[in-house]
Every structure is written in C-alpha cells, then in structure tokens.
Amino acid sequence: MPPQSLKKVLLMGRSNAGKTSMRSIIFANYIARETTRLGYTQEVEHSHVKFLGNMVLNLWDCGGQEAYMESYFESQRDHIFRNVAVLIFVFDVESQNVKDMQYFGLCVEALKANSENPKVFCLLHKMDLVPEEDRDKVFQMQSDKIREIAGSLSNMCFATSIWDETLYRAWSRIVYSLIPNVEALERQLTVFCEACGADEVVLFEKATFLVISHATKTSFRDSHRFEKISNIIKQFKLSCTRSQSQFSCMQVSNSRFTAFVDFFTPTTYIMVVSSHPAVLPAATQINIQNARGYFEAHINDSSSS
C-alpha cells in the first residue's frame, strides 16, 4: 500500500470572517443555512481529512479572536507556520479593520521564515453582501493590496460566498494545487476523453465533489460550469442522504448532449459529456467501467507521491 502524503493547510483570518462555515460546507456536508449554528473556533482546531486516496490534508483551523491571532505571531510562530504547504487566509470583504491586512502581512513573514515554497490563497469572503455592480471593483482593489503584501510568495485571490458555487471554485483550485503529478492525470483523462468520443470529462473527489481534474475537447461558454456542477450534485447527494438513499450515478439528456455522472474509483466520481449522436450511452458506461482499474492505480500513485 502506498504511504500517505500529509499536507499541512492553515486556515486563518480574523474572527467572524467565515472560516469554519466554509470548512463545514466543504468537508462536513453542511448546507449554507445550517452554518448559523456554528460557534467560534477556540484556539486551533486540528483535523485530518483523507482526500483522494492516500493524500491527507492536515487542516489547522485557527481561531481568529485577537488574543489568539497575537499568540500565533509571537509564542506559537514557529510551531504554527512550520512546514506549511498552503495558507488559506479569509478576509471578510466588508470589514474595514486595518488589522486584516496587518495580520496577513505577519502570516507572509512567518511563512517565509518557516516554510519552503508555501502557496497562499486569499478568499475575499461574503461577497454576496456587496452590491453586484461593485463586486469587481472591490475585488480588484483588495486583490492588489494582497498581492503587494504577498510579494514573492505564490498567491491567488478568489471572491467567495457560502450561498453560491464560488466556494467550490476556490477550494477546487486549492486542492488542485496540492495534488502531485496532476499533469499526468490530465493527460490520461485526455486520452480517455478521446477514446469515449466525449466533449468533456471531469473528475470529482468523492466526498467533497471538488473538481480534481478535467479534459475538454470542445469549447463551452460557461467558464464557471465545474463549480456549479459541484455545488448542484453535492446538494443532490445530501438530499439523497437525508431521505436515506444512496447516490450512485445519474444521466441527464436533452437534444444537445448527454451527461453521465458515475462512481469511478473508491475516491472519485466522473462526469462524461457527449454531444455526438453516434456515441451511445451504453458504450460510454462500458468505457467508464473498463477504465476504473487503471485510474484507481494512477490516482493512488499520484496522491502518495
């Protein structure tokens, strides 16, 4: 059995930014309205999330109260920021408190001193509270400040909300950055996509339904389709669970395309989309079945590298 690959992930930000709510939606199957009953995180909550076979996310959800934040940069600095693979810093987009950027700057300094090549993802959260016509401007202004502070560290910014698919887009990109040899996986998906005569093949992580990888042979207008599908199917899965049913697979067909979403490997689901009338649904299902063993071995090898 391949050894487990442990990735340390820090989830940080000031109190009430929404860190624990998003973690609960992605990893604990909460729906958005249920997060109102969550309390504040006390100090640091540790959790190990098995993800994609042999990869384990060592998630540190750091309480954002001021006393805790100060201790992270003083007495606990070396312990908190040592060997970090990813920092996720969550900003409440409506906050005007200058300490948001100050704390982020201290995180950057601590990472540079204690971790090798960490990746930084900043989520400008609660974007649904900003008037739609102002969102692009607000996002750009905040992103420019963040990039200036991050300097040489690899960083990406996302506008997020627990009420739509933007949360899945951000977290899919975060997880994607942690998967070793993901380019090799994408090459194999491309071969599979061509063999199926499909327009697109998308691989989802089983528990979270975050997008791991995809192969696309046809252009699509909606650049946010992956996270929308993640959100829709995750909610459908939760509905099945509440009605004591088990989600296994689904097929959606209309005059323009047929889409299969099916169990693929022990840690993934796959979606195959085809618009060609000559591609029979039964043939697609056989192709999925025949590819399972190969991709299971490949995914396990990749996640433990």
Side-chain angles (χ1 to χ4, degrees), residues 189 192 196 200-207 209-210 212 229 233 236-237 246-252 258-273 281-292 295 299:
L189 277 181
F192 179 68
C196 291
E200 189 162 63
V201 174
V202 186
L203 203 61
F204 300 93
E205 198 276 330
K206 180 182 177 182
F209 246 85
L210 296 174
I212 298 165
I229 293 167
I233 298 179
F236 181 69
K237 277 186 66 183
Q246 188 69 36
F247 175 80
S248 176
C249 62
M250 66 189 299
Q251 176 182 336
V252 178
T258 297
F260 289 93
V261 178
D262 201 354
F263 170 80
F264 196 43
T265 73
T267 57
T268 63
Y269 273 81
I270 195 167
M271 182 177 72
V272 180
V273 180
T284 299
Q285 290 175 310
I286 291 171
N287 285 328
I288 291 172
Q289 182 178 340
N290 290 341
R292 283 190 173 117
F295 274 93
I299 288 169

Side-chain angles (χ1 to χ4, degrees), residues 101-170:
M101 290 295 173
Q102 289 176 357
Y103 285 147
F104 177 63
L106 291 171
C107 284
V108 168
E109 292 175 8
L111 283 175
K112 287 180 177 178
N114 291 277
S115 295
E116 186 176 350
N117 299 321
K119 297 180 176 70
V120 176
F121 293 87
C122 293
L123 308 188
L124 302 175
H125 197 47
K126 305 183 183 179
M127 191 60 78
D128 56 288
L129 300 178
V130 178
E132 190 168 355
E133 63 272 15
D134 296 333
R135 290 176 189 173
D136 288 345
K137 179 181 177 182
V138 169
F139 178 76
Q140 191 60 54
M141 288 176 58
Q142 294 288 83
S143 298
D144 288 345
K145 293 178 185 177
I146 288 166
R147 292 192 181 97
E148 183 178 352
I149 294 170
S152 61
L153 285 185
S154 170
N155 65 92
M156 291 185 71
C157 297
F158 294 90
T160 57
S161 168
I162 63 172
W163 299 102
D164 60 28
E165 68 278 356
T166 54
L167 198 61
Y168 285 89
R169 177 173 180 261

Side-chain angles (χ1 to χ4, degrees), residues 11-39:
L11 182 58
M12 303 193 78
R14 291 182 64 247
S15 182
N16 205 38
K19 303 180 297 297
T20 303
S21 293
M22 63 172 64
R23 186 195 75 182
S24 300
I25 289 171
I26 297 295
F27 295 110
N29 293 332
Y30 277 64
I31 59 176
R33 66 173 179 270
E34 293 173 340
T35 62
T36 56
R37 67 172 187 255
L38 293 170

